[in-house]
Amino acid sequence: MPCLPEIIVFVSDEQYWAGADCLLLQFAVDDALIRHGADGGILEFATLVQKPTVFPCDCYVTLHLPSASSEKFRTRTIRDSNKPVWNETFYFRIQTQIKNILQLEVHGDHLFSKNDVQVVVDFDLAKVQPGATVLEIFSLKPEKENSRNPEFLEVEFKLSAIAGPPEHLISNGVLVARELSVLEVIVGKEVNEQLLKAKKTVVLTVQESYEGTQKTTKDVDSFLFHCIKSWEPVLKVKIQSISHEEGTDSAYPLVLPLKQFPLGKEVKVHLPQEEGGALELYLRVIDWSQNLDVRLGYELCAAEQDFLHKRKQVVADAFSRLFNLRRYLPEDEVPVVAVMATGGGVRAMTALYGHLIALQKLNILDCVSYITSTSGSTWTLTNLYQDTNWSQKNLEEHIQAVKTQILRNKKNVISAEQLKYYYKELVERSKMGYLPSFTALWALVQEALLHNEPNESKLSEQRSAINQGQNPLPIYTAMNVKDKNISTFDFREWMEFNPNEVGFLKYGAYVRAEDFDSKFFMGKQLKRLPESRICYLEGIWTNIFTPNLLDSLYWSSTPDEFWDRWLKDMSESERKYSEDGGITVYKPPDTATGKLCEIFNDILTDRPLKGATHNFLRSLAMYKDYMQQSNFIQWRDTVFDESPNKLTPSSESLCLIDVGYFINCSGAPLLNPKRNVDVIIALDYDLNESFKQIKMFSDYCEVQGIPFPKVELSEEDRKNPKECYVFSDDSDPRAPIVVFFPLVDSSFKEYTAPGVKRTPSEMCRGEVNLNANSSPYQTMHVTYSEEDLDKLLNLSTYNILCSKDKILQALQYALQKRQNIWARG
């Protein structure tokens, strides 16, 4: 019989003396592997050695292994003791093909604080081999302090196997989906109605399920519980007064392990009542199909591969016309060209229109396969992609429509009538199951600013604009962050949205565009919500209200210093992980000052106007060797990446923000090696510093080991930037050529078009105010004068047109490189 994994944690009553007073914990842990055989272990002894506190304290220990149980276990509390001793046993069943990090916390109630965490230890159980005994000694203080006053934790682990059937897993080398079972419960209708009349309800709990606890109501007497099968779920049932306070713990008279029920067969169970009679429950346990609704994989999805095949035919024709090629380009020789736009509110939206017009006039737009955007530049694309053939048409019609919106008075967006509409819309969304958030309100206000009436289009509908490869594939970017207790600079993960899919670059996990916002568990869709209108996604991409105070302080003070600190933190984190293989955190006892610091930290890191979206990665496990996966490593840029219990799959919801709160650049999706991008036409709309964002992105890529050219500039270029720069890395053929366009008013002051000088009467039209402090194009401005609008459109168009030669040279070089690679291959 194959073996199943189980862990037993035993807290001993023995004492351990090391020449000083100490605390002793002794653990026994029993477990095994699951995929094709037996593998496992027992955690046997754990000893905590620590100097006694000045005052006696009430101590207890908590144990949490999120990969094996949602429950956080704790010992009993030892009262008024400097030398507490426990003798308790805890059981976990683990799957050794996933990353299992056991977290131990020692708590103590002091004179000045309650439930204070004294020590936190995270231990990777992969370091324990089946049948072996491992002794780990964790230092609880920095090295210098520990040498004077040593404090450490000793833990002895042993892993052993138990018998059981193998578990089928699905993994992409980073995330793992485990087997699920579904419990169907129907409560007897007649007795349930009697209970409700008596103001009582039936409470059903399966702690190992997605749903957790559910209760009967007037309209609900049947339930589904989706459970991780190998966690051996247990159904608990009790009858409770409706007025009973939430969270009050009372005994469950009926406890039913689901493994006792025959698979697929309905079973009737009786719950006796105090008043006599019995409540009837009808139960059925079924296995759930292993077909996932989340795509786990780093390859491009089939729809995008099909798009590229069709788009390369369009691009090949465009290159042939552009360079008068005498032969047809085979698909492998066709360069992949992308346009990369930054954010910047209405300024970015307007300037991107001007840039696209210019690329169209130069016959270069048909050479482009991807367009990425963020923040304000996303508004341009969501408008354009309602037209299935926009890139084949004159864009003047689109621009006239946008002009109407930018020039109009927008006072009505906060009228009483509009406020009623916002309220009604948000209430309806909440009833449908969407998570309420300030971001949704912002999305509606923003829509009113940019449109006369609600925009009914959806992201998935943009597929009709790419189904024949007739337009470039649009990609919209956002970042996932923690909603509190951590800044954007310590935790952020790139996300991309395109008409086919929405997903995480780092995890290699994607859902269909129409399924984003639906409810998921372990890679399966539990409840499909209707696809949101595009405005709600625009609210996410331009989510300017979700920085925490720490983010704001960073951007308003010394970004260069913070950037240097981030690089240092990342390198130290990587070194710490590689040397130790596990994380140990020592936290000294809290005092009144410590509590004040904790409150201040909450103020600094909380996001009061945060957004919330159902997490489609919820409960997926991390593969045991995920840290060795090259695609994951490429985007390993948060301090928590080596701590699987703190990564996104453990969160109930996503907190998505504008990427501008880290780097105002939409280029991350273009650096996916599967897209193999040769040339990036980078369009920057920053008013503050012309090269700041592209330089930050270049430095970021260098730290991550992502192929990207260095941005090196002369002092003259920094002081007086020109319209166009080309950055390349000849030493690394994987690095794209970057043709960079800062938002500058250089030769446009003197020329209306390339080679056409302005007359004295036209000179005023070449004066475009791009000063960050006084510009009419500041990010928070949503209404322009017609003169300012035309100036910005004409400037961005001119800057591309006058740089034609540099763009063509970059395209020609990419074509030659492709041909050389094809010839050698």
Side-chain angles (χ1 to χ4, degrees):
M1 174 73 71
C3 294
L4 284 180
E6 186 170 84
I7 294 186
I8 305 170
V9 180
F10 174 67
V11 184
S12 172
D13 59 352
E14 299 179 19
Q15 295 189 12
Y16 174 81
W17 304 99
D21 292 336
C22 63
L23 303 174
L24 170 70
L25 305 178
Q26 181 173 334
F27 300 83
V29 179
D30 174 339
D31 183 310
L33 165 70
I34 295 190
R35 184 173 292 230
H36 296 296
D39 219 14
I42 283 195
L43 174 64
E44 284 200 345
F45 302 98
T47 304
L48 167 66
V49 180
Q50 186 180 16
K51 286 191 66 179
T53 57
V54 177
F55 300 100
C57 64
D58 298 339
C59 293
Y60 64 92
V61 181
T62 61
L63 306 95
H64 191 206
L65 187 59
S67 57
S69 173
S70 58
E71 187 173 355
K72 193 170 188 176
F73 297 91
R74 60 166 290 176
T75 65
R76 71 184 188 279
T77 301
I78 305 296
R79 304 291 182 185
D80 299 324
S81 174
N82 286 334
K83 310 168 193 174
V85 178
W86 295 270
N87 183 15
E88 299 178 50
T89 302
F90 304 87
Y91 293 86
F92 296 96
R93 179 181 295 270
I94 70 169
Q95 161 59 265
T96 55
Q97 288 298 299
I98 67 177
K99 200 71 167 174
N100 294 290
I101 304 294
L102 177 66
Q103 184 175 84
L104 310 171
E105 293 182 354
V106 181
H107 297 253
D109 292 349
H110 292 271
L111 180 65
F112 301 112
S113 61
K114 298 294 182 182
N115 298 324
D116 179 35
V117 178
Q118 303 290 299
V119 178
V120 179
V121 174
D122 289 343
F123 181 70
D124 187 349
L125 295 180
K127 299 178 73 174
V128 185
Q129 296 301 314
T133 300
V134 177
L135 177 66
E136 290 287 334
I137 301 176
F138 302 102
S139 175
L140 305 181
K141 279 189 173 182
E143 187 175 341
K144 291 182 180 179
E145 291 184 31
N146 200 55
S147 62
R148 298 192 301 269
N149 186 16
E151 296 183 8
F152 55 93
L153 176 72
E154 288 187 359
V155 185
E156 188 175 276
F157 299 87
K158 184 179 179 183
L159 198 66
S160 60
I162 60 173
E167 180 180 5
H168 177 67
L169 306 175
I170 299 176
S171 177
N172 64 353
V174 171
L175 295 178
V176 180
R178 306 183 69 175
E179 288 185 88
L180 296 178
S181 59
V182 181
L183 169 65
E184 299 175 346
V185 182
I186 299 176
V187 180
K189 195 174 187 65
E190 185 175 329
V191 176
N192 182 50
E193 289 177 351
Q194 294 174 0
L195 289 171
L196 291 172
K197 288 179 180 178
K199 298 191 179 303
K200 293 183 179 181
T201 184
V202 181
V203 180
L204 306 102
T205 297
V206 181
Q207 194 162 5
E208 301 80 6
S209 70
Y210 171 87
E211 292 78 8
T213 297
Q214 300 185 73
K215 300 178 181 180
T216 56
T217 65
K218 180 180 179 181
D219 301 316
V220 180
D221 57 11
S222 62
F223 306 90
L224 293 178
F225 291 91
H226 299 83
C227 315
I228 299 175
K229 191 175 180 181
S230 64
W231 283 16
E232 296 193 344
V234 174
L235 171 66
K236 300 177 181 180
V237 186
K238 64 182 177 181
I239 298 173
Q240 179 178 285
S241 171
I242 292 177
S243 60
H244 203 275
E245 291 186 12
E246 288 287 341
T248 303
D249 189 21
S250 59
Y252 287 86
L254 186 61
V255 179
L256 302 169
L258 302 194
K259 66 179 181 181
Q260 297 180 357
F261 293 91
L263 199 64
K265 295 184 179 180
E266 187 175 272
V267 176
K268 183 165 69 172
V269 177
H270 294 87
L271 174 60
Q273 300 184 66
E274 294 179 358
E275 299 83 358
L279 174 68
E280 293 181 344
L281 301 176
Y282 300 89
L283 311 178
R284 187 164 71 106
V285 178
I286 58 174
D287 279 341
W288 205 8
S289 165
Q290 277 288 95
N291 296 325
L292 300 184
D293 299 306
V294 174
R295 183 175 72 87
L296 297 181
Y298 288 93
E299 297 290 333
L300 302 181
C301 69
E304 184 170 341
Q305 293 181 44
D306 180 63
F307 160 80
L308 281 175
H309 172 70
K310 294 173 180 176
R311 184 63 183 173
K312 283 192 173 186
Q313 296 176 33
V314 176
V315 174
D317 291 339
F319 266 87
S320 295
R321 293 192 303 271
L322 206 57
F323 297 109
N324 297 315
L325 302 180
R326 296 180 180 179
R327 67 182 182 88
Y328 181 77
L329 286 176
E331 191 168 310
D332 289 342
E333 290 186 37
V334 178
V336 177
V337 181
V339 169
M340 179 181 78
T342 68
V346 175
R347 176 182 69 253
M349 177 180 73
T350 305
L352 181 52
Y353 273 111
H355 284 139
L356 293 175
I357 287 175
L359 291 173
Q360 188 181 60
K361 289 180 178 179
L362 295 177
N363 297 317
I364 293 173
L365 189 53
D366 280 344
C367 297
V368 175
S369 294
Y370 294 100
I371 302 180
T372 63
S373 62
T374 184
S375 196
S377 60
T378 64
W379 297 333
T380 305
L381 299 191
T382 55
N383 285 336
L384 290 175
Y385 278 86
Q386 293 180 64
D387 184 340
T388 57
N389 290 289
W390 69 266
S391 66
Q392 310 303 314
K393 299 178 180 179
N394 190 320
L395 295 181
E396 290 298 334
E397 183 178 336
H398 286 282
I399 289 177
Q400 289 304 317
V402 169
K403 275 187 174 183
T404 302
Q405 298 304 319
I406 296 176
L407 298 177
R408 72 180 173 89
N409 187 300
K410 300 178 174 64
K411 291 182 180 179
N412 67 324
V413 299
I414 55 172
S415 66
E417 184 179 351
Q418 278 295 111
L419 293 176
K420 289 179 182 178
Y421 161 70
Y422 300 152
Y423 176 77
K424 180 180 178 182
E425 179 90 357
L426 295 177
V427 168
E428 287 300 315
R429 280 179 63 82
S430 181
K431 289 179 179 178
M432 293 167 66
Y434 296 95
L435 294 178
S437 71
F438 179 83
T439 302
L441 173 59
W442 161 239
L444 293 174
V445 173
Q446 181 177 263
E447 181 183 47
L449 290 170
L450 299 172
H451 301 276
N452 289 328
E453 55 187 23
N455 180 1
E456 298 295 335
S457 68
K458 300 178 176 64
L459 179 60
S460 66
E461 293 172 355
Q462 294 182 12
R463 290 175 191 158
S464 61
I466 58 172
N467 58 5
Q468 300 302 317
Q470 68 271 42
N471 299 302
L473 178 72
I475 301 178
Y476 310 87
T477 55
M479 276 201 161
N480 179 51
V481 297
K482 295 291 186 181
D483 62 354
K484 57 184 177 181
N485 298 330
I486 190 75
S487 80
T488 304
F489 305 96
D490 287 330
F491 185 94
R492 85 239 122 243
E493 297 172 334
W494 298 94
M495 279 193 71
E496 70 166 83
F497 296 70
N498 68 63
N500 298 314
E501 291 186 318
V502 176
F504 286 90
L505 298 170
K506 180 169 73 176
Y507 297 109
Y510 301 85
V511 293
R512 298 186 309 163
E514 56 265 45
D515 292 336
F516 176 72
D517 248 340
S518 292
K519 294 183 179 181
F520 286 82
F521 179 61
M522 196 59 74
K524 297 285 291 182
Q525 188 181 89
L526 297 191
K527 180 179 180 181
R528 188 182 188 284
L529 301 182
E531 183 179 1
S532 294
R533 296 188 294 111
I534 197 72
C535 81
Y536 289 105
L537 298 184
E538 290 174 329
I540 291 172
W541 305 329
T542 61
N543 199 343
I544 61 175
F545 297 105
T546 51
N548 52 39
L549 184 56
L550 197 60
D551 297 342
S552 302
L553 290 174
Y554 159 58
W555 284 117
S556 63
S557 55
T558 55
D560 289 339
E561 289 180 13
F562 200 104
W563 186 253
D564 290 341
R565 176 187 145 193
W566 176 76
L567 299 179
K568 181 181 178 182
D569 288 347
M570 284 304 301
S571 61
E572 288 181 353
S573 173
E574 183 174 358
R575 184 168 60 254
K576 180 178 180 181
Y577 181 78
S578 59
E579 290 176 357
D580 187 33
I583 303 298
T584 305
V585 180
Y586 173 73
K587 183 180 178 182
D590 261 340
T591 62
T593 305
K595 284 297 183 186
L596 182 61
C597 289
E598 186 176 334
I599 293 170
F600 187 61
N601 182 63
D602 289 342
I603 294 172
L604 283 174
T605 60
D606 192 29
R607 302 176 190 274
L609 302 179
K610 57 195 168 219
T613 303
H614 293 298
N615 180 12
F616 57 86
L617 300 188
R618 183 172 175 182
S619 294
L620 287 166
M622 303 301 295
Y623 184 64
K624 63 176 182 177
D625 296 324
Y626 77 95
M627 286 295 296
Q628 280 69 55
Q629 225 285 351
S630 60
N631 289 292
F632 182 90
I633 293 298
Q634 179 163 287
W635 301 106
R636 193 177 73 85
D637 59 349
T638 86
V639 296
F640 290 153
D641 278 329
E642 65 272 17
S643 304
N645 298 349
K646 298 179 181 179
L647 291 177
T648 297
S650 65
S651 302
E652 291 187 11
S653 60
L654 305 176
C655 182
L656 303 179
I657 68 170
D658 190 320
V659 302
Y661 288 110
F662 182 56
I663 304 175
N664 188 9
C665 179
S666 63
L670 300 177
L671 302 184
N672 180 345
K674 301 301 181 183
R675 290 191 168 119
N676 200 14
V677 175
D678 299 285
V679 178
I680 296 176
I681 300 174
L683 309 174
D684 193 289
Y685 305 122
D686 199 320
L687 283 180
N688 295 292
E689 299 176 37
S690 297
F691 303 100
K692 177 181 176 181
Q693 303 302 329
I694 193 67
K695 181 69 168 61
M696 288 178 69
F697 192 62
S698 175
D699 292 345
Y700 169 82
C701 290
E702 184 178 7
V703 172
Q704 298 298 96
I706 299 171
F708 196 83
K710 289 186 177 181
V711 175
E712 297 176 335
L713 300 157
S714 67
E715 191 61 30
E716 175 61 23
D717 285 329
R718 292 181 184 277
K719 291 180 179 178
N720 300 297
K722 299 170 186 160
E723 294 88 355
C724 181
Y725 293 83
V726 178
F727 304 110
S728 61
D729 184 355
D730 294 334
S731 65
D732 190 345
R734 300 171 302 165
I737 302 166
V738 177
V739 187
F740 176 69
F741 289 89
L743 187 61
V744 296
D745 184 9
S746 183
S747 59
F748 181 69
K749 295 175 181 178
E750 299 179 5
Y751 293 86
T752 58
V756 181
K757 279 208 164 190
R758 293 186 182 277
T759 64
S761 62
E762 294 174 325
M763 294 301 289
C764 62
R765 297 179 186 174
E767 296 292 337
V768 185
N769 183 357
L770 299 176
N771 184 290
N773 297 320
S774 60
S775 175
Y777 310 113
Q778 292 179 34
T779 302
M780 297 307 292
H781 290 183
V782 293
T783 301
Y784 295 165
S785 69
E786 187 168 5
E787 179 183 0
D788 289 333
L789 180 57
D790 288 336
K791 280 184 178 181
L792 184 56
L793 280 168
N794 293 335
L795 171 66
S796 53
T797 301
Y798 170 85
N799 284 351
I800 292 280
L801 294 177
C802 76
S803 306
K804 174 183 177 180
D805 290 343
K806 288 186 177 180
I807 301 175
L808 293 182
Q809 287 172 9
L811 296 180
Q812 192 164 32
Y813 180 78
L815 179 60
Q816 292 171 355
K817 187 172 75 169
R818 279 271 182 171
Q819 290 175 335
N820 292 337
I821 293 174
W822 184 81
R824 289 197 303 269

